Amino acid sequence: MSLTQHLSTPISSSSSAFVAHSNFNSRTKNVSLPAKRFSICKCIAAPQEAQTAYKTTVSRNANMAKLQAGYLFPEISRRRAAHLLKYPDAQVISLGIGDTTEPIPEVITSAMEKRSRALSTLEGYSGYGAEQGEKALRAAIASTFYRNLGIEEDDIFVSDGAKCDLSRLQVVFGADVTIAVQDPSYPVYVDSGVIMGQTGQFQKDDQKFVGIEYMKCTPENGFFPDLSSVSRTDIIFFCSPNNPTGAAATREQLTQLVNFAKDNGSIIVYDSAYAMYASKDLPHSIFEIPGAKEVAIETSSFSKYAGFTGVRLGWTAVPKQLLFSDGFPVAKDFNRIVCTCFNGASNIAQAGGLACLSPEGLKAMHEVIDFYKENTNIIVETFNSLGFNVYGGKNAPYVWVHFPGRSSWDVFSEILEKTHVVTTPGSGFGPAGEGFIRVSAFGHRSNVLEACKRFKQLYK
Amino acid sequence: MSLTQHLSTPISSSSSAFVAHSNFNSRTKNVSLPAKRFSICKCIAAPQEAQTAYKTTVSRNANMAKLQAGYLFPEISRRRAAHLLKYPDAQVISLGIGDTTEPIPEVITSAMEKRSRALSTLEGYSGYGAEQGEKALRAAIASTFYRNLGIEEDDIFVSDGAKCDLSRLQVVFGADVTIAVQDPSYPVYVDSGVIMGQTGQFQKDDQKFVGIEYMKCTPENGFFPDLSSVSRTDIIFFCSPNNPTGAAATREQLTQLVNFAKDNGSIIVYDSAYAMYASKDLPHSIFEIPGAKEVAIETSSFSKYAGFTGVRLGWTAVPKQLLFSDGFPVAKDFNRIVCTCFNGASNIAQAGGLACLSPEGLKAMHEVIDFYKENTNIIVETFNSLGFNVYGGKNAPYVWVHFPGRSSWDVFSEILEKTHVVTTPGSGFGPAGEGFIRVSAFGHRSNVLEACKRFKQLYK
């Protein structure tokens, strides 16, 4: 890539699912637009030296360069911008990026107000907190989500979100591990692995990075991988209820997964960020499966439960029973990374998290979740009524719509062009997402209803 | 290391300066103690299987294993705990860890209250913000700290703190760069380099990691390295005003540093977290030096200005003029990491940051800083009156006291034993810190005065 090319490529966000701020819901007045792009002239020292800008002699990290492929959300952002140029008066609705839209229940925000106010008093001020999180919050997370599962307060590491913890886990694992991901999956698992040097180059022909085991999840296998055909890897990223397919694994399936990990000596990184959307009969934590504490880590978040996408609060449970091959506890290395590369979640956010887990807070969170689940039902019914095969939705805020034989990007463009609704092309989550569209249920009711009305007009 | 040894080693924090919560100031009621230690019996499956705990077959990251050496603050923590066992009624005062103690000015907390409250309303709610930070805050940082320096809004990346950004920068650089650090220095530069695989093993004889260039900073060279004897590295970490020595580089010295980087094609990572403590005649940003935008990154924080150690807010300025050897802008890779491994600072903290930079907020921050500087004067005068050579203090909240010919740890123990005051042994920041003690000026006035009274009794 020439210098000129570098300079003319805008600074892009990442391919992560929640990255580009192509956020077009009806409340754009509160939404930050993408960072101002680098303009070409600013990258060069002076006009007369356009070809001779000073360069350091530091080599660019080769792993970063591998990431060039697969910029999902910036591409959506570009297409949306082009769409708005073409239709400047269009009332664009976003059911694309999985961003929460409903206010945070007052029982939760009032706790954050109170903590903010206390910080201005001698009695209420606190400085550095424990990097692992406040003791009361760790205890509340353990007792709310892991009661009777053998996960204790000191297994819980409070964080600024699951996405951030996933990268910290990758730093713990380092460059020499092999990884497996569901295909399709949340792009951060793959991207963080590439960044750490766990992979080879991206292969355009099969849309995969060399060295990653892609576990196909399709309607044919009920969105649960055929483990008999999956190669052993050190790390297995597994998200249930799943982003993007919305599929939730059963107890039997998770038991298979845990046994598979145990047989192979692998570590499962289980992403349960949508667990509260799952129906009661389904497992809500990997640690409900016997033996999981010896093979699994679980990461989760308040983002999709309490609307904390901007407040930033999550956690990761690393059982003390989980050991590397030399017997060293994984939790000790994770603790070291949390202490060296992080300084704890904001104390105000933690006060909010504690309020989330009070009886009133839990009730309020369930109401918000139920609201989004009603949105999901509306979207599912709409596509069902139009004769599509629709997956997900029941146990997750994502609806996975099949357009067999068609390109995801073509369908994305068709929907945007004809309905002004932004969705997410399934192929952006991995090659097995080709032919699908992810429709997010995060939105104001009026927008969801309007979008569904437009879908019905388009596909009637 | 045997399994038994692993299990009997408590989970430790890190060697980072702000890590272990050995926080013994007079307001311990608000301070979290360290995470509960792993107990031995919890690491093994069942009592009867004590020697046969299940282990995965995943190898531990060899870089993490290198970190075993140099656990500074946990060691202090252990010694403090032993001290309290010995003297259960002692009124221990901490001038050790650099943790802020004074309340956050109300003009700032009221903005965070307001933002918290707004999140419970339809009009005031916002979800994911830009990973790079809110536009208004980026603009305010650029105009407050970099006016007329050519650093623009889109060069600023808002974060949850300088410590976190340092690790994200290391992820950008990857395993193949070489690094230089001031000796002594904030331990995170070294530790994050070790974690990324930039170094060899720790050598006990010289207390250094193989592969790191340690730039000696002692009274003999005015705490500025003799650059003629420093080997070229890809990255140079440089902190001014310095933690731990309190030394602040002059304009001439920083010009030397920038020229040195330019001659070598190196990248300076300039930590200016204490810049507001420096007197007016000193440079407050590396970007005051001509040409610095082509060789430097600057990271900073609201922690020590506004008492945001627990609120978590900082920023990093990556000029678009800074290029890797292939011409690729460093800012683009940093942006990619910020988007993939991070999701922005808490929106509530950002509201606080914006209030910090209002005229009233700036005035209030200066008052807090002046308060801590008065503490510094008291500490400096105390040790001066006792005949010690005292460095730092003037432009930083740290006082660096020389005990020539003595071991830092011996002096630390003597002070703790005889005055119940916790300091930090200088050797914990690097081999050139041997013979020094760092005394932090973060504390309530009454505690600082009491500590100084005890110092005078001990060393009169």
Side-chain angles (χ1 to χ4, degrees):
Chain A
M1 200 177 184
S2 75
L3 177 58
T4 316
Q5 279 177 295
H6 290 318
L7 296 176
S8 62
T9 312
I11 276 219
S12 169
S13 255
S14 94
S15 63
S16 303
F18 305 133
V19 156
H21 290 275
S22 49
N23 195 318
F24 338 122
N25 70 33
S26 63
R27 297 187 19 258
T28 43
K29 64 183 179 295
N30 295 315
V31 174
S32 301
L33 288 173
K36 194 178 146 195
R37 304 304 192 188
F38 280 12
S39 72
I40 294 176
C41 62
K42 282 179 186 160
C43 292
I44 36 184
Q48 71 274 24
E49 297 174 351
Q51 302 306 313
T52 57
Y54 174 87
K55 297 194 277 278
T56 67
T57 56
V58 178
S59 299
R60 186 181 178 210
N61 181 348
N63 295 320
M64 294 299 300
K66 293 177 192 164
L67 281 173
Q68 290 297 325
Y71 275 47
L72 172 61
F73 277 88
E75 177 61 24
I76 295 180
S77 208
R78 277 191 287 275
R79 296 194 184 212
R80 179 241 185 194
H83 184 76
L84 277 178
L85 277 179
K86 194 171 165 188
Y87 303 102
D89 298 326
Q91 198 209 330
V92 172
I93 297 171
S94 176
L95 302 178
I97 186 171
D99 191 9
T100 47
T101 56
E102 302 312 297
I104 300 173
E106 209 174 308
V107 58
I108 300 164
T109 57
S110 66
M112 297 195 287
E113 273 186 74
K114 198 176 157 196
R115 184 64 158 268
S116 300
R117 192 161 49 242
L119 290 171
S120 70
T121 67
L122 203 57
E123 302 70 35
Y125 181 74
S126 60
Y128 289 116
E131 291 85 349
Q132 303 86 355
E134 295 176 5
K135 192 177 158 66
L137 180 56
R138 299 174 83 186
I141 290 169
S143 70
T144 303
F145 297 103
Y146 306 104
R147 189 186 297 274
N148 302 325
L149 299 181
I151 296 292
E152 296 166 308
E153 176 192 321
D154 61 347
D155 297 323
I156 305 293
F157 295 82
V158 176
S159 76
D160 58 336
K163 183 187 190 185
C164 314
D165 267 348
L166 288 165
S167 285
R168 281 188 281 266
L169 285 168
Q170 290 280 31
V171 171
V172 168
F173 298 140
D176 294 337
V177 298
T178 52
I179 66 171
V181 298
Q182 288 156 292
D183 178 18
S185 69
Y186 177 44
V188 165
Y189 314 134
V190 166
D191 286 358
S192 59
V194 173
I195 290 167
M196 286 309 297
Q198 296 163 354
T199 76
Q201 297 292 339
F202 185 74
Q203 304 296 308
K204 288 216 164 156
D205 57 345
D206 65 356
Q207 298 284 303
K208 294 178 179 179
F209 281 96
V210 170
I212 292 183
E213 177 72 19
Y214 290 78
M215 304 184 294
K216 213 170 175 175
C217 296
T218 61
E220 288 71 41
N221 60 22
F223 297 100
F224 187 81
D226 173 12
L227 295 173
S228 70
S229 69
V230 170
S231 299
R232 184 215 172 261
T233 59
D234 292 310
I235 312 295
I236 302 167
F237 289 96
F238 199 93
C239 177
S240 177
N242 189 263
N243 174 12
T245 68
T250 63
R251 195 170 306 274
E252 294 66 35
Q253 288 172 328
L254 288 189
T255 303
Q256 272 182 51
L257 181 70
V258 166
N259 290 340
F260 177 76
K262 209 153 219 173
D263 290 346
N264 286 308
S266 306
I267 294 174
I268 300 165
V269 176
Y270 188 77
D271 184 342
S272 67
Y274 302 96
M276 282 180 75
Y277 288 81
S279 64
K280 284 190 178 167
D281 54 314
L282 290 168
H284 287 66
S285 164
I286 188 76
F287 299 119
E288 293 182 34
I289 309 304
K293 283 193 291 293
E294 295 175 343
V295 292
I297 290 165
E298 182 164 305
T299 188
S300 196
S301 166
F302 288 91
S303 287
K304 309 301 167 83
Y305 300 168
F308 268 31
T309 39
V311 172
R312 310 305 309 141
L313 196 70
W315 72 88
T316 291
V318 189
K320 51 186 81 59
Q321 293 87 342
L322 181 67
L323 307 177
F324 287 118
S325 58
D326 64 354
F328 195 87
V330 175
K332 276 197 185 187
D333 276 347
F334 187 65
N335 184 68
R336 187 69 202 267
I337 291 296
V338 163
C339 291
T340 304
C341 306
F342 182 57
N343 233 329
S346 177
N347 45 19
I348 300 168
Q350 291 191 67
L354 199 55
C356 286
L357 303 181
S358 69
E360 302 77 23
L362 283 166
K363 186 168 168 286
M365 284 203 297
H366 276 291
E367 284 166 7
V368 174
I369 290 166
D370 287 344
F371 172 84
Y372 289 130
K373 290 189 78 167
E374 285 166 18
N375 280 353
T376 317
N377 289 341
I378 293 167
I379 298 166
V380 168
E381 280 167 21
T382 298
F383 282 99
N384 270 335
S385 75
L386 294 167
F388 287 94
N389 282 323
V390 182
Y391 305 95
K394 189 171 180 309
N395 298 297
Y398 298 120
V399 181
W400 191 240
V401 188
H402 203 182
F403 292 79
R406 296 195 59 191
S407 135
S408 294
W409 276 111
D410 285 351
V411 177
F412 166 87
S413 298
E414 177 177 271
I415 292 174
L416 179 59
E417 176 72 24
K418 302 205 173 147
T419 71
H420 308 306
V421 177
V422 180
T423 58
T424 307
S427 57
F429 298 98
E434 185 60 281
F436 290 86
I437 285 287
R438 188 192 79 171
V439 184
S440 158
F442 295 113
H444 295 317
R445 182 62 45 82
S446 55
N447 284 344
V448 170
L449 289 170
E450 172 65 22
C452 286
K453 197 174 124 192
R454 298 183 197 171
F455 293 151
K456 282 185 179 168
Q457 286 167 341
L458 174 60
Y459 291 117
K460 68 187 169 198
Chain B
M1 199 176 182
S2 75
L3 177 59
T4 315
Q5 278 177 296
H6 291 318
L7 295 175
S8 62
T9 312
I11 275 219
S12 169
S13 253
S14 93
S15 64
S16 303
F18 304 133
V19 155
H21 290 275
S22 50
N23 195 320
F24 337 123
N25 70 34
S26 62
R27 296 184 23 256
T28 44
K29 63 184 181 298
N30 295 315
V31 174
S32 301
L33 287 175
K36 194 178 146 194
R37 306 302 192 190
F38 280 12
S39 73
I40 295 177
C41 63
K42 284 180 183 160
C43 293
I44 35 184
Q48 71 276 22
E49 296 172 352
Q51 303 306 314
T52 58
Y54 174 87
K55 296 192 277 281
T56 67
T57 56
V58 178
S59 299
R60 185 181 178 211
N61 181 347
N63 295 320
M64 293 299 301
K66 293 178 191 164
L67 281 173
Q68 290 297 324
Y71 275 45
L72 172 61
F73 277 87
E75 178 61 25
I76 295 179
S77 209
R78 278 190 287 274
R79 294 193 185 211
R80 180 241 184 191
H83 184 76
L84 278 178
L85 277 180
K86 195 171 163 189
Y87 304 101
D89 298 327
Q91 198 210 331
V92 171
I93 297 172
S94 176
L95 302 178
I97 187 171
D99 191 8
T100 48
T101 55
E102 302 311 298
I104 300 174
E106 210 174 307
V107 58
I108 299 164
T109 57
S110 65
M112 296 195 287
E113 273 186 74
K114 199 177 156 196
R115 183 65 158 266
S116 300
R117 192 162 48 244
L119 290 171
S120 70
T121 66
L122 204 56
E123 301 71 33
Y125 181 74
S126 60
Y128 288 116
E131 291 86 348
Q132 303 85 354
E134 296 175 6
K135 192 177 159 65
L137 180 57
R138 298 173 83 186
I141 290 170
S143 71
T144 304
F145 298 102
Y146 306 103
R147 189 186 297 273
N148 302 324
L149 299 182
I151 296 292
E152 295 165 309
E153 177 191 321
D154 61 347
D155 297 324
I156 305 294
F157 295 82
V158 176
S159 76
D160 58 336
K163 184 187 189 184
C164 315
D165 267 349
L166 288 165
S167 286
R168 282 187 280 266
L169 285 168
Q170 289 280 32
V171 171
V172 169
F173 298 139
D176 293 336
V177 300
T178 51
I179 67 171
V181 298
Q182 287 156 293
D183 177 18
S185 69
Y186 177 46
V188 165
Y189 314 134
V190 166
D191 286 357
S192 59
V194 173
I195 289 166
M196 287 308 297
Q198 297 163 354
T199 76
Q201 296 292 338
F202 185 74
Q203 304 297 306
K204 289 219 164 151
D205 56 346
D206 65 357
Q207 298 284 303
K208 294 179 178 177
F209 281 96
V210 170
I212 292 183
E213 177 74 17
Y214 290 78
M215 305 183 294
K216 213 170 175 175
C217 296
T218 61
E220 289 69 41
N221 60 21
F223 297 101
F224 186 80
D226 172 13
L227 295 174
S228 70
S229 70
V230 170
S231 299
R232 184 214 172 262
T233 59
D234 292 309
I235 312 296
I236 302 168
F237 289 96
F238 199 93
C239 176
S240 178
N242 189 261
N243 175 12
T245 69
T250 63
R251 195 170 306 273
E252 294 66 36
Q253 288 172 330
L254 288 189
T255 303
Q256 275 183 49
L257 182 69
V258 166
N259 290 340
F260 177 76
K262 209 152 220 174
D263 291 346
N264 286 308
S266 305
I267 294 173
I268 300 165
V269 176
Y270 189 78
D271 184 341
S272 67
Y274 302 96
M276 283 181 75
Y277 287 80
S279 63
K280 283 190 178 166
D281 53 314
L282 290 168
H284 287 66
S285 164
I286 189 76
F287 299 119
E288 293 182 34
I289 310 304
K293 284 194 290 294
E294 295 175 342
V295 292
I297 290 165
E298 183 165 306
T299 188
S300 197
S301 165
F302 288 91
S303 288
K304 308 302 167 82
Y305 299 167
F308 268 32
T309 40
V311 172
R312 311 304 310 141
L313 195 70
W315 72 89
T316 292
V318 189
K320 52 187 80 59
Q321 293 87 342
L322 180 67
L323 308 177
F324 287 118
S325 58
D326 65 353
F328 195 87
V330 175
K332 276 197 185 186
D333 275 347
F334 187 64
N335 184 67
R336 186 70 202 268
I337 291 295
V338 163
C339 291
T340 305
C341 305
F342 183 55
N343 234 329
S346 175
N347 45 18
I348 301 169
Q350 291 192 67
L354 200 55
C356 286
L357 303 181
S358 68
E360 302 77 23
L362 283 166
K363 186 167 167 286
M365 283 203 297
H366 277 292
E367 284 166 4
V368 174
I369 290 166
D370 287 345
F371 173 84
Y372 289 129
K373 291 188 79 167
E374 286 167 16
N375 281 352
T376 317
N377 290 340
I378 294 167
I379 297 166
V380 167
E381 281 168 20
T382 298
F383 281 99
N384 270 335
S385 75
L386 294 167
F388 287 93
N389 282 323
V390 182
Y391 305 95
K394 191 171 178 307
N395 299 297
Y398 298 120
V399 182
W400 191 239
V401 188
H402 203 180
F403 291 80
R406 295 195 60 190
S407 135
S408 295
W409 276 110
D410 285 352
V411 178
F412 166 88
S413 298
E414 177 178 270
I415 293 174
L416 180 59
E417 176 72 24
K418 302 206 174 144
T419 71
H420 308 305
V421 177
V422 180
T423 57
T424 307
S427 56
F429 298 98
E434 185 60 281
F436 290 87
I437 285 287
R438 188 191 80 172
V439 185
S440 158
F442 295 113
H444 295 317
R445 181 62 46 81
S446 55
N447 284 343
V448 170
L449 289 170
E450 171 65 21
C452 286
K453 197 174 122 190
R454 298 184 196 169
F455 292 150
K456 283 185 179 171
Q457 287 168 340
L458 173 60
Y459 291 117
K460 65 185 170 198

